[in-house]
């Protein structure tokens, strides 16, 4: 579904990604772990199309399309979704209205008719139940006054509404207590199909108790330095990232 | 030594050339007094504090002559009592108890109307063509709509006087509009007297042509337990200045001033407000928001006075602006003068660009850059617009915003 080859990227002249390779197929869940500053959030930002980053080498193809040629909104319409580490509060813009606009822009891009008000409201009810998001929150301004957990649940609610092919969860576990973590992970698991895929970016192993990955990658100093089965996460938790550093150096 | 003669052209005199003295039966002494004042005055310049950011060159450079006889009527309210002025003259009115026009009244009836020694107020009175004189002694069954149409190239001096007697309510919409090719100067003054326990809500909508000049002044006097709300919505016009002066003379009164201005190209919009808390136990809220595109300029000047014995006053003022281009600008100046010690007052003014992180967030969900920006600015002013309680008027404003800026609500 997505192929990242030899990706190099700079921000303000500083090289963050130094030859990153990653391939994700439909039906798979990939976890990317790594110490702070390894480039995890940079990868998420580049996939979503943040313009501050300069791609100096490498390629990203998404279902055969050159992703780097697409604007942020075109990527979203092609089926890429980023769950933000820090969801933005937008006063005055209702969650529901914005989602309907987003959904209809995506449908229009795919040559589909706008969704009917009735179908849309039914969808809101179903999907907000999935992440146990109070329907009152669905009607409020986007993330305004939401708690940390509510913001993250709102991200997964949006993901459920937009039904992406590839979801990137950027540190979705940060700032969540165990109950919120379970709810968010449950939502992600329920949305899993043989046709979609997820990249779960996390610093800690604990999210992976709930979202079971097919592959765990270790990102260190701008590159994937180790790939393994889900058990790799446990080893990392036990031995820490120093173990990886040592094994690379030796 | 060579003698240098400088001849200063009096710009006010030039403006008065095309005007005819009022035929309304105002107090004769007042007319003489104001006439003398005008003789010895000129247009304000930026050297005067209250005109510091407001240049009147657009006004002084225009020559006004006459008007064209065709106007397209704009119906906003289905239900309202409509009063229509066209090029300064009464065109039609739907009668209700307490409605008269100034030209119909005697000098005794008009004795309460005064103008201050302020150029545009004095000019307005001395050259007033007409205006409404409304006294509400019983709450009406329908809202009132005063429509001001202009077309052509004329100066319109309309003067209104509106009084709500004790414990009555009224909902008034004042609309100013003109034909596309018009180049008018509208100088409108309205006095509002809100007596004890009365509730008055006024929405003023300015959608004059992109070449029109508009100055207006609302002078408000509030008595005990009264409630006054003014929503000023400026969506078009070359040069617009709104002056609002509220004198809160009775205790337990509430004042709400809300404003939205959206301007593009070379437009200039100035909102000058004054709330004078003369007595204790009152509340005032002020919320003005602006969006400026292209080379548009905005001015916000909000004065709040709290007099020495006016304790227990809550006065809140907020002004926020979004600048949509590098060439757009805003001058904002909140002024609080507080002489009482047991009060709660706050003010805040912000001017900035759209939150790019929010734009990115919306785009990452599939909205185009334009749709994302439109959604954000429309939501920004929407928070003020939703204070307009009359849904017909609100829909009309939303429609205008859609027509002019492509915003959807």
């Amino acid at each position: 579904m997505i192929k990242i080859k030899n990706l190099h990227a700079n921000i303000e002249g500083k090289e963050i990604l130094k030859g990153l390779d990653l391939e994700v197929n439909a039906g798979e869940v990939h976890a990317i772990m790594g110490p702070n500053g390894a480039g995890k959030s940079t990868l998420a930002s580049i996939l979503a199309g943040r313009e501050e980053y300069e791609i100096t080498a490498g390629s990203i193809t998404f279902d055969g399309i050159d992703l780097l040629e697409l604007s942020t909104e075109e990527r979203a319409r092609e089926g890429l979704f980023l769950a933000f580490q820090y969801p933005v509060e937008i006063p005055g813009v209702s969650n529901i209205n914005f989602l309907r606009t987003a959904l209809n822009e995506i449908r229009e891009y795919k040559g589909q008719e706008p969704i009917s008000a009735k179908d849309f409201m039914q969808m809101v009810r179903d999907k907000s139940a999935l992440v146990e998001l109070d329907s009152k929150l669905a009607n409020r301004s986007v993330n305004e006054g939401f708690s940390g957990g509510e913001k993250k649940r709102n991200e997964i609610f949006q993901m459920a509404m937009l039904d992406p092919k590839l979801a990137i969860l950027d540190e979705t576990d940060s700032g969540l207590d165990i109950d919120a973590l379970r709810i968010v992970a449950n939502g992600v698991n329920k949305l899993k199909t043989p046709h979609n895929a997820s990249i779960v970016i996390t610093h800690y192993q604990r999210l992976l108790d709930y979202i079971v990955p097919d592959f765990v990658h270790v990102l260190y100093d701008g590159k994937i330095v180790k790939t393994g089965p889900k058990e790799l996460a446990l080893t990392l938790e036990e031995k820490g990232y120093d173990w990886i550093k040592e094994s690379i150096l030796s | 030594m060579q003698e240098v003669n400088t001849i200063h052209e009096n710009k006010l005199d030039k403006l008065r050339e095309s005007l005819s003295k009022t035929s309304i039966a105002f107090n004769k002494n007042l007319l003489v007094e104001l006439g003398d004042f005008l003789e010895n005055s000129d247009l304000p310049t930026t050297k005067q504090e209250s005109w510091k950011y407001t240049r009147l060159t657009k006004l002084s450079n225009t020559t006004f002559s006459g008007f064209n006889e065709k106007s397209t009527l704009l119906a906003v309210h289905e239900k309202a009592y409509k009063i229509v002025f066209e090029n300064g003259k009464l065109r039609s009115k739907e009668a209700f108890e307490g409605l008269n026009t100034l030209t119909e009244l005697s000098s005794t009836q008009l004795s309460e109307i005064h103008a201050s020694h302020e150029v545009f107020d004095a000019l307005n009175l001395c050259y007033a063509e007409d205006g409404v004189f409304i006294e509400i002694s019983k709450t009406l069954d329908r809202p009132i709509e005063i429509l001001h149409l202009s077309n052509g190239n004329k100066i319109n001096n309309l003067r209104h006087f509106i009084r709500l007697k004790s414990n009555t309510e009224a909902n008034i919409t004042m609309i100013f509009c003109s034909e596309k090719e018009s180049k008018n100067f509208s100088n409108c003054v309205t006095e509002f007297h809100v007596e004890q326990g009365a509730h008055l809500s006024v929405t003023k909508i300015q959608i004059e042509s992109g070449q029109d000049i508009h100055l207006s002044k609302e002078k408000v006097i509030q008595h005990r337990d009264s409630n006054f709300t003014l929503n000023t919505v400026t969506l078009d016009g070359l040069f617009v200045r709104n002056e609002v002066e509220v004198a809160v003379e009775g205790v337990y009164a509430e004042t709400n001033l809300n404003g939205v201005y959206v301007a593009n190209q070379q437009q200039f919009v100035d909102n000058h407000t004054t709330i004078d808390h003369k007595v204790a136990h009152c509340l005032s809220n002020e919320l003005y928001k602006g969006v400026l595109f292209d080379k548009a300029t905005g001015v916000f000047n909000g004065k709040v006075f709290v007099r020495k014995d006016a304790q227990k006053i809550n006065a809140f003022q907020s002004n926020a602006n979004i600048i949509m281009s590098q060439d757009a600008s805003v001058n904002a100046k909140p002024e609080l003068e507080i002489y009482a010690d047991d009060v709660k007052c706050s003010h805040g003014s912000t001017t900035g660009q759209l939150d790019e992180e929010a734009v990115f967030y919306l785009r990452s969900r599939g909205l185009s850059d334009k749709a994302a920006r439109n959604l954000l600015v429309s939501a920004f002013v929407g928070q003020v617009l939703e204070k307009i309680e009359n849904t017909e008027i609100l829909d009309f404003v939303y429609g205008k915003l859609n027509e002019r800026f492509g915003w959807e609500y």
Side-chain angles (χ1 to χ4, degrees):
Chain A
M1 178 177 288
I2 193 160
K3 273 188 197 153
I4 305 175
K5 276 190 192 158
N6 190 33
L7 189 66
H8 288 254
N10 291 352
I11 187 161
E12 290 163 0
K14 190 173 179 254
E15 189 170 46
I16 308 285
L17 297 185
K18 303 170 180 173
L20 186 142
D21 292 290
L22 180 68
E23 182 167 353
V24 176
N25 297 307
E28 294 175 352
V29 175
H30 290 240
I32 296 183
M33 301 181 70
N36 288 330
K40 301 190 301 289
S41 283
T42 297
L43 176 63
S45 297
I46 288 171
L47 289 174
R50 271 197 203 272
E51 281 146 17
E52 305 89 285
Y53 293 90
E54 188 197 351
I55 312 296
T56 51
S59 66
I60 307 176
T61 49
F62 181 53
D63 268 350
I65 305 168
D66 181 357
L67 192 77
L68 296 174
E69 285 297 308
L70 301 182
S71 66
T72 295
E73 55 268 34
E74 286 166 334
R75 294 175 195 202
R77 294 167 192 169
E78 285 290 343
L80 189 138
F81 181 91
L82 171 67
F84 280 54
Q85 184 177 2
Y86 303 108
V88 185
E89 294 196 15
I90 311 181
V93 173
S94 107
N95 226 0
I96 292 293
N97 284 348
F98 135 67
L99 266 178
R100 176 146 60 187
T101 310
L103 193 63
N104 282 334
E105 294 238 17
I106 293 170
R107 289 173 74 98
E108 193 187 331
Y109 185 79
K110 291 180 179 166
Q112 297 168 340
E113 290 290 305
I115 189 166
S116 75
K118 189 168 162 261
D119 291 349
F120 179 77
M121 287 323 291
Q122 186 57 49
M123 196 170 160
V124 167
R125 275 193 291 276
D126 294 348
K127 305 296 183 185
S128 55
L130 192 75
V131 287
E132 300 175 36
L133 186 76
D134 190 330
S135 58
K136 277 183 206 129
L137 289 184
N139 279 307
R140 287 226 315 251
S141 288
V142 181
N143 295 323
E144 193 186 26
F146 286 26
S147 70
E150 285 166 346
K151 282 181 185 168
K152 295 299 171 80
R153 273 190 269 169
N154 194 24
E155 292 295 287
I156 307 305
F157 166 62
Q158 290 177 30
M159 175 177 150
M161 291 293 290
L162 301 178
D163 189 22
K165 282 195 280 196
L166 176 67
I168 302 141
L169 281 68
D170 185 10
E171 308 253 0
T172 297
D173 50 340
S174 68
L176 290 191
D177 62 32
I178 225 64
D179 285 337
L181 192 68
R182 187 184 47 75
I183 291 166
V184 164
N186 247 336
V188 174
N189 289 334
K190 282 182 192 157
L191 294 170
K192 191 181 167 186
T193 73
H195 311 290
N196 63 23
S198 317
I199 299 175
V200 181
I201 294 172
T202 181
H203 186 78
Y204 302 104
Q205 188 269 337
R206 75 178 183 159
L207 178 64
L208 304 179
D209 288 341
Y210 301 94
I211 301 174
V212 180
D214 298 299
F215 300 94
V216 175
H217 307 276
V218 181
L219 180 59
Y220 177 72
D221 195 23
K223 274 188 263 192
I224 302 278
V225 293
K226 199 167 182 62
T227 295
K230 61 176 188 287
E231 289 77 14
L232 177 58
L234 293 170
T235 316
L236 282 170
E237 184 77 357
E238 196 187 316
K239 297 189 176 176
Y241 290 108
D242 287 343
W243 162 68
I244 292 286
K245 289 181 202 169
E246 282 158 22
S247 69
I248 295 163
L249 291 171
S250 59
Chain B
M1 230 172 92
Q2 202 184 342
E3 204 171 298
V4 183
N5 280 324
T6 45
I7 301 163
H8 287 288
E9 188 197 26
N10 187 306
K11 293 177 171 128
L12 179 60
D13 287 350
K14 192 185 148 224
L15 208 60
R16 287 159 70 207
E17 276 168 20
S18 74
L19 296 173
S20 318
K21 290 219 161 116
T22 187
S23 56
I24 300 166
F26 292 123
N27 180 300
K28 285 212 173 62
N29 293 335
L30 178 66
L31 284 171
V32 170
E33 178 202 315
L34 293 174
D36 285 347
F37 166 71
L38 288 175
E39 277 299 320
N40 296 305
S41 303
D42 200 347
L43 292 184
T45 67
T46 51
K47 285 178 189 149
Q48 277 160 267
E49 192 55 33
S50 60
W51 293 86
K52 192 174 169 188
Y53 301 112
T54 312
R55 276 179 195 286
L56 285 167
T57 38
K58 279 171 179 156
L59 176 63
S60 55
N61 287 343
T62 313
T63 309
F64 298 95
S65 48
F67 56 85
N68 306 316
E69 280 288 0
K70 58 164 175 69
S71 260
T72 18
L73 256 185
L74 202 82
V76 178
H77 265 107
E78 281 300 310
K79 290 175 246 144
Y81 288 105
K82 285 192 203 61
I83 304 150
V84 182
F85 291 95
E86 187 175 19
N87 301 314
K89 302 268 186 299
L90 181 72
R91 170 158 150 175
S92 64
K93 62 172 184 189
E94 242 175 288
F96 57 86
E97 200 188 321
L99 168 68
N100 284 289
T101 55
L102 297 195
T103 43
E104 297 167 342
L105 296 172
S106 71
S107 62
T108 327
Q109 290 163 302
L110 293 169
S111 62
E112 277 181 87
I113 297 183
H114 290 282
S116 59
H117 280 200
E118 189 276 311
V119 167
F120 293 104
D121 193 7
L123 186 79
N124 172 281
L125 193 139
C126 291
Y127 298 93
E129 291 160 285
D130 208 345
V132 298
F133 191 99
I134 296 174
E135 280 197 290
I136 304 285
S137 16
K138 216 177 83 194
T139 300
L140 296 171
D141 54 339
R142 293 193 264 156
I144 299 168
E145 179 179 308
I146 308 171
L147 192 53
H148 306 74
L149 297 167
S150 332
N151 77 89
N153 176 222
K154 182 180 168 291
I155 301 177
N156 296 317
N157 285 302
L158 283 166
R159 193 170 192 100
H160 304 305
F161 183 95
I162 295 165
R163 177 172 18 233
L164 263 68
K165 298 246 175 136
S166 298
N167 300 316
T168 58
E169 286 178 34
N171 189 312
I172 300 175
T173 306
M174 299 173 79
I175 299 169
F176 295 86
C177 60
S178 66
E179 298 290 321
K180 258 204 175 84
E181 64 279 12
S182 283
K183 271 186 169 179
N184 298 288
F185 168 34
S186 172
N187 180 32
C188 186
V189 179
T190 309
E191 283 182 56
F192 295 102
H193 291 249
V194 193
E195 292 190 349
Q196 186 173 339
H199 279 238
L200 174 58
S201 171
V202 180
T203 299
K204 190 167 98 173
I205 300 171
Q206 294 162 314
I207 40 168
E208 286 155 308
S209 92
Q211 302 180 86
D212 272 337
I213 293 168
H214 181 112
L215 289 174
S216 63
K217 192 192 239 332
E218 281 88 35
K219 301 199 269 190
V220 186
I221 295 173
Q222 283 191 258
H223 297 269
R224 191 193 170 102
D225 294 314
S226 67
N227 188 308
F228 175 75
T229 298
L230 174 65
N231 307 307
T232 304
V233 184
T234 310
L235 305 181
D236 212 341
L238 176 68
F239 176 105
V240 177
R241 173 165 163 125
N242 297 305
E243 286 181 29
V244 186
E245 292 168 4
V246 184
V248 188
E249 296 183 346
V251 290
Y252 300 106
E254 179 180 329
T255 312
N256 300 297
L257 302 181
N258 304 308
V260 164
Y261 41 101
V262 187
N264 63 7
Q265 295 172 12
Q266 311 265 359
Q267 294 181 330
F268 175 90
V269 185
D270 175 358
N271 281 291
H272 258 71
T273 67
T274 307
I275 299 177
D276 188 356
H277 284 291
K278 297 183 171 180
V279 296
H281 299 291
C282 290
L283 166 68
S284 66
N285 289 300
E286 236 178 306
L287 178 62
Y288 276 76
K289 283 191 177 189
V291 179
L292 299 131
F293 294 88
D294 309 327
K295 294 185 170 178
T297 309
V299 175
F300 175 79
N301 188 308
K303 276 186 203 160
V304 176
F305 293 106
V306 180
R307 303 287 182 102
K308 192 164 159 266
D309 297 321
Q311 303 294 358
K312 307 279 181 199
I313 293 292
N314 287 319
F316 306 108
Q317 184 190 83
S318 166
N319 169 238
N321 302 285
I322 292 182
I323 300 288
M324 300 293 282
S325 99
Q326 290 199 329
D327 297 321
S329 64
V330 173
N331 292 301
K333 198 167 124 200
E335 291 178 57
L336 302 188
E337 284 188 34
I338 300 165
Y339 301 102
D341 49 21
D342 186 12
V343 298
K344 221 187 272 176
C345 295
S346 70
H347 68 87
S349 179
T350 56
T351 297
Q353 285 154 349
L354 272 188
D355 178 359
E356 288 301 322
E357 189 60 20
V359 174
F360 179 75
Y361 189 76
L362 295 175
R363 287 176 62 202
S364 80
R365 300 301 183 245
L367 271 71
S368 69
D369 187 70
K370 188 161 186 269
R373 285 172 199 281
N374 279 350
L375 188 62
L376 290 172
V377 283
S378 60
F380 173 75
V381 298
Q383 288 178 311
V384 186
L385 292 175
E386 67 193 20
K387 294 182 185 291
I388 299 175
E389 285 168 5
N390 187 318
T391 51
E392 266 185 286
I393 295 297
L394 192 58
D395 286 345
F396 174 77
V397 171
Y398 286 157
K400 280 285 155 197
L401 283 168
N402 183 270
E403 201 177 283
R404 232 170 106 58
F405 302 101
W407 299 354
E408 279 174 38
Y409 283 90

